[in-house]
């Protein structure tokens, strides 16, 4: 879809990008990452010809990008930047409608498209259409920035550290939104960042650059498991094993039928605990909603005390990394897997996690 | 002293009490030239004008009331009273003009030619200070309902109306300034000079805006050009205006000698052509500087986004750069306009006419009235142009920019 061939950019004596070869498949997110000055932004800006390559070429859908006038080429690519760059003197609707207007769409078509896009990025069109950038928060501004880039439905999206200036919570939220939108739209996205966590979260493939060279180009898991050299290993961080756990789903350590009782009968509690080899037994009601848990080891003669299970739960879509983190936080105990309605859908026994980590140590599971 | 006391109001009241009642209100002489001579000129204080003692008493009373209110003011109702005292005082001083002069002449205190003197002017200023002081606190408080608010302005409007009526009606007035206004208005001289002045300054502003904005834009794309243009227009400003006008006379007279066509259109070494050229050169700097700085201060991200989305250079300029920089450019146009209206008074020195005609003949004949006849309309014109351009600027500034902090029209 986007192919960079032997791409070089020199500024006088300084060579920013050196003989870069890279292909990005249609519908995938390719993340360019590296320390500042590694040439990642220059590379991105060569794709829409904001920077002209010194040598080499770029093919877009098999066609040399220089066969089109610059402006036409750029109108076919969405462009989102860290500074966002919304035009202060235009309303949100005017900002989003810029490329359609440049392409000569009718007013009605643009208005319809604007509303559709604001909906897509999670802003209520009726409320936000006529607002000005100065009236929006940073996160809202970047949502508009993303909507603006998508306005003319370009097949390719170029994003230059789009979430770099946002606070961590807003950033995480917008990353999730981008993934949600991407599941529906399947754009070809080239995404520049210097945040390795962002790269691992968003990238289908990650291109690590250093001093203008491409050091490694691989899917996140491969990058974490087999860093090409010390630079990449350093760059992905000493906790790369933990980061790899972040790519694994909870299913790896999940067991379907938890030790469960529907009453506070001590006999039943003890039996359920023995059956599953568990230290804790979960109490549910008739609808399967988790009410709390009993500690099987401290059963006295009377009715057992119902403990709150709030800290002992993880969501079904959690990663192994999040599960492990929750388990450590509560003192390495069994966890309940509870869906958003509060229903008990499974559990993570501590022995299973221990076994998993042993497998990882012995190389049976690669982290 | 209560915290809400109006210091400006107190100052105003003291000025009226001190200067207004002790300094001469009127100065008179057998003819205008003699006004400057200490030997012939006569001066009359308010106290001396005994025939009009109620007038003096009411000004004294008003100033005392104003002083008390200003000292003891606690809430916005008191400040309303203070502003009202100031406004009524302004009206009173204006209304007293002619009767005072007549009374003075009848009593033999005054010669034929009469001019307001420091006492009258300072009283006017003192009441204006009281008015302003009261208004200042009123705006801060804001507890006075709108219909009553408007009442403050009535005496002021009445005073202006009275002055305008005196000048307009043609009824003989003994006040020299009003009389000269009256004479020039009815002979059409004032209209002619005002028209010339507007034409000189207007043409200068128009040309410097067109040239200045173009040079500013050129400078934005080519910083070296920008530096040179800024430097040269700065150098022009250091040339004394008289010298600049004179320097331009020679090239224009040469031009007119060699081109009958230009001569036909009135181009000559003297007259409007070199004057407008000089004014244009003076007006350039604020326009170039503000255009250049305004364009430079458009956030880089917005320009980058505009180019990256596929705007052509022309679209970037017209749809992003100029609208975004508009408030700054407009501010430059405003300062250029105000400056040129002032400098245009010197155009008479090379025979271009305008309000400078009155100022120069006033200087030649030692006539304060004539000087003011040129100065007052020029000041009003400059202030009016500034207000008008500010309103136009606000109106044309894209709404989204009003919401930004630190961007003003």
């Amino acid at each position: 879809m986007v192919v960079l061939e032997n791409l070089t950019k020199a500024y006088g004596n300084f060579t920013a990008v050196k003989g870069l070869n890279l292909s990005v498949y249609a519908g995938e997110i390719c993340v360019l990452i590296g320390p500042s000055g590694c040439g990642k932004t220059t590379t991105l800006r060569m794709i829409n010809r904001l920077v002209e390559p010194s040598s080499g070429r770029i093919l877009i859908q098999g066609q040399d990008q220089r066969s089109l006038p610059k402006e036409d080429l750029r109108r076919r690519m969405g462009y989102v930047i860290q500074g966002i760059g919304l035009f202060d003197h235009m309303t949100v609707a005017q900002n989003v409608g810029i490329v359609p207007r440049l392409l000569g769409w009718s007013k009605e078509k643009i208005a319809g498209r604007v509303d559709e896009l604001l909906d897509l990025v999670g802003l209520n069109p009726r409320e936000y259409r006529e607002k000005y950038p100065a009236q929006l928060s940073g996160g809202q501004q970047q949502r508009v920035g993303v909507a603006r880039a998508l306005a003319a439905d370009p097949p390719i999206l170029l994003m230059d550290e789009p979430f770099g200036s946002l606070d961590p919570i807003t950033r995480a939220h917008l990353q999730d939104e981008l993934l949600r939108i991407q599941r529906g739209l399947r754009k070809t996205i080239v995404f520049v960042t210097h945040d390795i966590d962002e790269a691992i979260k968003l990238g289908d493939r990650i291109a690590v650059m250093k001093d203008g060279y491409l050091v490694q180009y691989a899917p996140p898991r491969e990058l974490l498991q087999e860093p090409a050299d010390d630079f990449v290993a350093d760059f992905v961080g000493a906790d790369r094993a933990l980061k790899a756990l972040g790519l694994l789903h909870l299913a790896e350590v999940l067991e379907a039928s938890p030790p469960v009782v529907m009453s506070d009968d001590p006999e039943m509690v003890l039996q359920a605990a023995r059956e599953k080899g568990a230290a804790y037994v979960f109490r549910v009601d008739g609808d399967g909603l988790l009410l709390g848990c009993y500690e099987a080891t401290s059963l006295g003669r009377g009715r057992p005390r119902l403990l709150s299970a709030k800290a002992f739960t993880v969501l079904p879509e959690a990663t192994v990394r999040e599960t492990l983190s929750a388990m450590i936080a509560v003192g390495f105990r069994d966890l309940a897997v509870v869906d958003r309605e509060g229903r008990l859908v499974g559990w993570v026994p501590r022995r299973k996690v221990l076994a998993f980590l042993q497998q990882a140590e012995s190389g049976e599971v690669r982290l | 002293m209560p915290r809400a006391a109006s210091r400006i109001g107190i100052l105003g009241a003291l000025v009226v009490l001190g200067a207004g009642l002790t300094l001469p209100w009127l100065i008179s002489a057998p003819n205008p030239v003699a006004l400057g001579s200490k030997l012939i000129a006569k001066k009359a204080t308010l106290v001396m004008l005994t025939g009009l003692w109620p007038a003096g008493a009411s000004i004294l009373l008003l100033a005392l009331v104003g002083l008390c209110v200003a000292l003891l003011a606690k809430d916005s109702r008191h400040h309303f009273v203070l502003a009202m005292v100031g406004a009524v005082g302004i009206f009173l001083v204006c209304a007293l003009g002619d009767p005072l002069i007549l009374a003075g002449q009848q009593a033999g205190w005054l010669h034929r030619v009469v001019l307001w003197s420091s006492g009258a002017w300072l009283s006017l200023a003192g009441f204006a200070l009281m008015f302003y002081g009261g208004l200042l606190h009123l705006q801060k408080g804001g507890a006075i309902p709108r219909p009553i608010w408007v009442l403050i302005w009535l005496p002021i409007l009445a005073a202006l109306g009275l002055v305008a009526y005196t000048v307009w009606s043609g009824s003989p007035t003994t006040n020299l300034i009003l009389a000269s206004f009256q004479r020039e208005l009815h002979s059409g001289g004032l209209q002619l000079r005002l028209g010339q002045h507007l034409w000189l300054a207007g043409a200068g502003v128009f040309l410097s805006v067109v040239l200045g904005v173009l040079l500013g834009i050129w400078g934005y794309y080519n910083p070296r050009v920008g530096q040179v243009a800024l430097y040269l227009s700065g150098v022009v400003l250091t040339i004394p205006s008289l010298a600049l006008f004179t320097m331009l006379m020679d090239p224009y007279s040469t031009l007119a000698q060699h081109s009958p066509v230009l001569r036909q259109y009135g181009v000559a070494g003297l007259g409007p052509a070199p004057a407008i050229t000089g004014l244009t050169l003076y007006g350039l700097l604020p326009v170039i500087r503000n255009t250049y700085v305004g364009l430079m201060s458009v956030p880089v991200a917005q320009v980058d986004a505009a180019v990256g989305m596929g705007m052509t250079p022309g679209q970037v300029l017209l749809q992003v750069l100029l609208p975004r920089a508009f408030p700054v450019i407009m501010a430059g146009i405003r300062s250029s306009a105000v400056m040129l209206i002032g400098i245009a008074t010197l155009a008479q020195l090379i025979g271009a006419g305008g309000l400078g005609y009155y100022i120069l003949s006033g200087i030649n004949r030692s006539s304060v009235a004539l000087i003011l006849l040129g100065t007052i309309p020029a000041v009003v014109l400059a202030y009016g142009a500034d207000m008008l351009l500010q309103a136009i600027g606000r109106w044309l500034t894209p709404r989204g920019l009003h919401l930004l902090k630190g961007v003003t029209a």
Side-chain angles (χ1 to χ4, degrees), chain A residues 45 74-75 79 88-89 132, chain B residues 302 304 307 310 319 324 400:
Chain A
R45 290 168 73 89
R74 290 174 189 150
R75 287 170 197 179
Y79 185 51
D88 298 314
H89 57 286
Y132 285 91
Chain B
Q302 291 181 30
D304 189 35
V307 177
Q319 296 180 22
R324 184 63 173 69

Side-chain angles (χ1 to χ4, degrees), chain B residues 157-170 178 182 185:
Chain B
L157 284 177
L160 287 175
L162 192 72
V163 171
Y165 177 77
T166 316
V167 173
W168 205 263
S169 65
L178 290 187
Q182 208 171 49
L185 193 71

Side-chain angles (χ1 to χ4, degrees), chain A residues 45 48 50 71 74-75 79 81 83-90 98-99 101-102 130 132 134-135 148, chain B residues 299 301-313 315 319-320 323-324 398-401 403-404:
Chain A
R45 290 168 73 89
N48 65 357
L50 285 172
E71 283 81 20
R74 290 174 189 150
R75 287 170 197 179
Y79 185 51
I81 52 178
I84 306 174
L86 293 186
F87 304 133
D88 298 314
H89 57 286
M90 296 186 189
I98 284 173
V99 179
R101 198 164 48 81
L102 293 177
E130 298 308 322
Y132 285 91
Q135 295 167 305
R148 182 169 73 171
Chain B
Q302 291 181 30
V303 183
D304 189 35
V307 177
M309 282 190 300
M311 284 194 184
T312 61
Q315 286 167 334
Q319 296 180 22
V320 179
R324 184 63 173 69
R399 223 168 64 74
L401 295 187
L403 300 165
L404 291 173

Side-chain angles (χ1 to χ4, degrees), chain B residues 356-382:
Chain B
Y357 168 82
Y358 292 122
I359 298 176
L360 282 176
S361 21
I363 293 171
N364 287 337
R365 294 192 232 157
S366 316
S367 163
V368 182
L370 269 182
I371 294 175
L372 287 176
L373 184 60
T375 310
I376 293 171
V379 169
V380 171
L381 206 61

Side-chain angles (χ1 to χ4, degrees), chain B residues 297-339:
Chain B
S297 63
V298 176
V300 182
Q302 291 181 30
V303 183
D304 189 35
V307 177
M309 282 190 300
M311 284 194 184
T312 61
Q315 286 167 334
V316 175
L317 180 68
L318 293 178
Q319 296 180 22
V320 179
L321 288 170
L322 285 178
R324 184 63 173 69
F326 176 77
V328 184
I329 298 175
M330 199 62 205
I333 294 175
R334 268 174 62 201
S335 40
S336 169
V338 171
M339 195 168 82

Side-chain angles (χ1 to χ4, degrees), chain A residues 33-40 193-194 208-211 231 235:
Chain A
I33 194 169
S36 18
C38 71
K40 53 190 191 296
T193 182
H194 60 257
V208 184
M209 294 180 69
K210 183 197 174 194
D211 300 335
F231 171 76
F235 196 79

